Amino acid sequence: MDYDVLILGGGIVGCAVAYELSKYSLNIALIEKEYDIANDVALINSSVVYDGVECETTLLSRLESMGNSIIRNIASKFNINFSKKGYLVLSDNESSEEELNKLYNRALDRGIKNIYLLNQKETLKIEPNLNTKVRKSIYSKNVGIISPYDLAISYGEIAFDNGVNFKLEEEVLDIQSMSKGFKVVTNKNKFTCSVVLNTTPKENYSIDNINMASIKKGYINYFLIENIGNRYNNNSVISALEKNNGRIYIIPTDNNGLMVEITTNSKISYEDGLQIIKKYIGEIDENNINIFYESRYYNDDNIIDDSLIDKGYIKVIEKHRGQITMTPAISKIVCETIVNNLKCIPKKDFIDKRREFYRFRDMTNDKRKEIIKLNKKYGKIVCYCEKVTEGEIIDAIRRPLGARTIEGIKRRTGATFGNCRGAQCLYKVSSILSRETNKNMTDIVKNSKNSKIILGRIKEFDEI
Ligand SMILES: Cc1cc2nc3c(=O)[nH]c(=O)nc-3n(C[C@H](O)[C@H](O)[C@H](O)COP(=O)(O)OP(=O)(O)OC[C@H]3O[C@@H](n4cnc5c(N)ncnc54)[C@H](O)[C@@H]3O)c2cc1C
């Protein structure tokens, strides 16, 4: 066999399972069709680490609770910022109050701790500027915010350092069952392996045909609102029950803004979304809406499918809007299943540490000076909005599984993600990437093959 385990898909789940399995003596490869890992973890992800209160089923709730407690531990181990937030689920009418009482009692039955049923006065003490006539709320102290991309990339980097073979820009075309193990056919190779973990969403392969009609989908509308002033304590994530099983989630961002997510069963317009938001936070200046987009979302409830594990096939292709939270739990369960199946032993030389990196915007001046003395590139700011230095961009490219695209650099460092959306620094970032990877500027891409930053030369200069 070429590999003991092949992980298909380098999203957060694939990377987390690669990390867990890299603790064992196994020959593992991960195949990802894009230039980078974690490419599909939406940048505008709500980034909320939930606690299981609102999950539809007890199993999903357990996965969220377990994932929540693991994330708190690994955030400090991986040096990722985890910011604790309160979480308020609001009701503002009789029917949603009934629903809220049911949610609260169900959460108590599930054994979820640190949750409280608050009346109007108690709720307004926590968020005094709520615009809606709240009747009751559930208040939870278990929730937090984490960068899902940082989490995914940390899992990937450590897995890479512990021997997992990452095959990027390689697309899986088929998975075929053999008398012993599997054949995985890609656009570049054919591999054999004993176990397949498939995380590529909703793809059809010989081994299993997916019935697309059975997939539950809803709509999700995102608004990124800036300069919200002191209208919020900015300490709580707010969720409220809307009409027809809809939900609104209001999530404070680090820079005095709000990310608002409205989930609905049927399509709504930008104006409908705006009206729903105003109900909770009052009038907003539309000039402060920096980003708006609509996408589809899944709310599957059968996340881990190991019904073919006797053959060696597991799939985690179903999606849930709390799946980042669940990922650490999912990866431990999947790893345990595979380890039991292959009867393998833990590695003695596993290194559970992410290579060091610097984030200049979060450092004290003394610390900055110390690092600039060692490497002058850290003294040169490239992205003024997000205060990202050349040193950080070079490190993002040279690290294990380093960035090869502008999007990869943005996700690792924040460069080009500021208010000017890269107007000031995009070309500087592209030129560092072209220099570091020894490519022409005309070959630098945003995130995929057909997304070139510069389409061609218009004059024959020696350098661009
Ligand atoms: C809008 C939105 C907001 C969310 N907010 C939250 C939140 O606040 N909190 C939370 O806990 N969760 C949240 N989630 C859930 C979470 O972001 C996703 O469910 C999670 O990222 C899914 O990760 P994954 O690894 O399973 O799948 P993916 O990220 O989709 O990874 C699958 C990977 O497989 C690759 N791939 C696909 N086909 C092939 C192929 N043929 N060959 C090779 N590679 C292939 C893809 O390129 C991709 O990298 C949100 C989801 C959405 C959509």
Side-chain angles (χ1 to χ4, degrees):
M1 292 280 172
D2 297 319
Y3 292 100
D4 296 317
V5 184
L6 268 177
I7 300 170
L8 313 185
I12 193 166
V13 172
C15 290
V17 175
Y19 163 80
E20 290 297 339
L21 286 175
S22 69
K23 298 175 181 172
Y24 293 85
S25 296
L26 289 169
N27 189 9
I28 308 161
L30 180 150
I31 305 176
E32 166 57 51
K33 68 177 162 68
E34 300 292 343
Y35 281 68
D36 204 351
I37 53 167
N39 207 52
D40 269 15
V41 179
L43 194 59
I44 309 206
N45 188 289
S46 314
S47 312
V48 179
V49 178
Y50 296 99
D51 64 352
V53 166
E54 291 177 279
C55 280
E56 306 74 8
T57 68
T58 307
L59 174 67
L60 293 178
S61 169
R62 292 230 170 99
L63 286 175
E64 273 193 3
S65 300
M66 192 176 152
N68 180 306
S69 72
I70 303 173
I71 284 181
R72 285 160 189 270
N73 290 330
I74 55 176
S76 68
K77 186 159 80 180
F78 294 171
N79 192 12
I80 313 172
N81 189 24
F82 175 83
S83 94
K84 284 186 194 162
K85 296 279 175 201
Y87 189 73
L88 280 168
V89 189
L90 307 180
S91 75
D92 63 357
N93 59 52
E94 212 172 305
S95 78
S96 66
E97 185 178 335
E98 209 174 294
E99 177 74 7
L100 191 91
N101 287 331
K102 276 193 210 151
L103 272 185
Y104 180 70
N105 290 326
R106 193 181 67 182
L108 289 183
D109 288 346
R110 287 173 176 173
I112 300 174
K113 303 248 168 3
N114 299 323
I115 52 167
Y116 310 88
L117 195 60
L118 307 185
N119 60 28
Q120 184 185 59
K121 206 169 148 201
E122 291 161 331
T123 308
L124 291 176
K125 220 171 167 184
I126 293 170
E127 279 301 345
N129 301 323
L130 277 173
N131 195 41
T132 186
K133 285 203 177 71
V134 60
R135 289 165 74 109
K136 262 188 189 171
S137 71
I138 300 173
Y139 182 58
S140 161
K141 291 185 178 173
N142 306 317
V143 168
I145 304 274
I146 197 163
S147 153
Y149 191 73
D150 273 355
L151 183 59
I153 204 103
S154 309
Y155 275 133
E157 285 183 1
I158 303 176
F160 177 91
D161 274 344
N162 284 287
V164 175
N165 188 345
F166 282 78
K167 296 176 180 298
L168 301 179
E169 294 176 66
E170 187 155 349
E171 184 169 0
V172 177
L173 302 178
D174 201 14
I175 312 167
Q176 293 157 7
S177 183
M178 302 191 304
S179 56
K180 239 182 163 199
F182 300 90
K183 188 193 279 176
V184 172
V185 183
T186 73
N187 57 342
K188 296 180 180 171
N189 290 297
K190 283 184 183 129
F191 300 109
T192 52
C193 64
S194 306
V195 170
V196 166
L197 167 68
N198 179 13
T199 76
T200 62
K202 324 294 182 198
E203 301 272 358
N204 277 319
Y205 302 117
S206 303
I207 184 134
D208 82 279
N209 267 311
I210 295 155
N211 175 7
M212 296 301 282
S214 70
I215 295 163
K216 282 187 266 173
K217 275 189 196 166
Y219 291 86
I220 197 158
N221 288 270
Y222 265 103
F223 292 77
L224 186 63
I225 310 170
E226 297 192 327
N227 303 323
I228 208 74
N230 52 8
R231 266 196 274 168
Y232 265 98
N233 262 354
N234 247 9
N235 234 350
S236 327
V237 174
I238 290 170
S239 149
L241 310 163
E242 274 291 314
K243 275 184 266 170
N244 301 330
N245 294 327
R247 280 278 162 85
I248 176 169
Y249 299 87
I250 305 173
I251 301 142
T253 63
D254 284 344
N255 43 2
N256 192 28
L258 293 176
M259 170 132 42
V260 182
E261 179 191 319
I262 301 168
T263 56
T264 49
N265 287 337
S266 47
K267 212 173 163 69
I268 58 164
S269 67
Y270 168 86
E271 279 74 25
D272 294 338
L274 213 55
Q275 289 313 317
I276 298 175
I277 298 174
K278 285 183 184 168
K279 193 173 129 192
Y280 294 94
I281 66 172
E283 275 309 312
I284 37 176
D285 177 353
E286 282 186 58
N287 290 321
N288 286 331
I289 300 180
N290 206 335
I291 294 177
F292 162 74
Y293 87 79
E294 180 204 86
S295 96
R296 306 299 303 266
Y297 82 101
Y298 306 103
N299 242 359
D300 295 321
D301 45 24
N302 179 23
I303 302 284
I304 305 172
D305 181 346
D306 60 1
S307 52
L308 293 179
I309 186 59
D310 52 328
K311 283 187 165 180
Y313 181 74
I314 308 186
K315 60 181 178 179
V316 182
I317 57 162
E318 309 225 328
K319 300 288 169 234
H320 189 275
R321 58 174 308 290
Q323 201 164 343
I324 301 272
T325 313
M326 296 172 193
T327 290
I330 294 172
S331 59
K332 280 194 184 291
I333 295 168
V334 169
C335 173
E336 206 179 302
T337 312
I338 294 176
V339 164
N340 286 339
N341 190 276
L342 292 176
K343 299 189 177 39
C344 50
I345 49 162
K347 259 186 209 157
K348 289 206 173 80
D349 55 354
F350 174 71
I351 303 163
D352 201 0
K353 198 170 181 302
R354 192 181 177 194
R355 290 191 209 177
E356 210 176 341
F357 62 92
Y358 306 118
R359 230 168 237 146
F360 255 53
R361 59 177 172 274
D362 301 335
M363 283 180 170
T364 61
N365 272 344
D366 285 346
K367 189 79 189 152
R368 286 176 183 147
K369 279 183 202 155
E370 216 177 274
I371 291 155
I372 293 168
K373 249 191 219 162
L374 296 174
N375 182 346
K376 289 211 166 27
K377 297 256 160 51
Y378 283 98
K380 203 168 153 193
I381 299 273
V382 172
C383 169
Y384 286 94
C385 303
E386 295 294 307
K387 297 183 185 53
V388 182
T389 66
E390 182 171 356
E392 286 165 274
I393 295 173
I394 294 173
D395 176 60
I397 299 166
R398 291 187 187 169
R399 295 179 71 72
L401 293 173
R404 290 293 171 271
T405 61
I406 298 295
E407 193 67 26
I409 292 177
K410 170 157 89 179
R411 290 170 180 228
R412 285 167 178 83
T413 65
T416 77
F417 195 45
N419 274 346
C420 83
R421 293 286 179 265
Q424 296 282 341
C425 63
L426 179 63
Y427 288 97
K428 281 190 234 161
V429 176
S430 308
S431 124
I432 298 169
L433 185 57
S434 97
R435 185 188 74 209
E436 289 295 315
T437 53
N438 221 0
K439 281 185 179 164
N440 286 329
M441 275 285 270
T442 44
D443 292 331
I444 298 300
V445 293
K446 189 172 179 294
N447 60 355
S448 59
K449 267 193 191 114
N450 301 321
S451 62
K452 289 198 172 168
I453 299 290
I454 295 175
L455 291 180
R457 297 168 73 104
I458 51 170
K459 281 190 179 172
E460 285 304 310
F461 295 114
D462 285 342
E463 286 178 6
I464 296 180

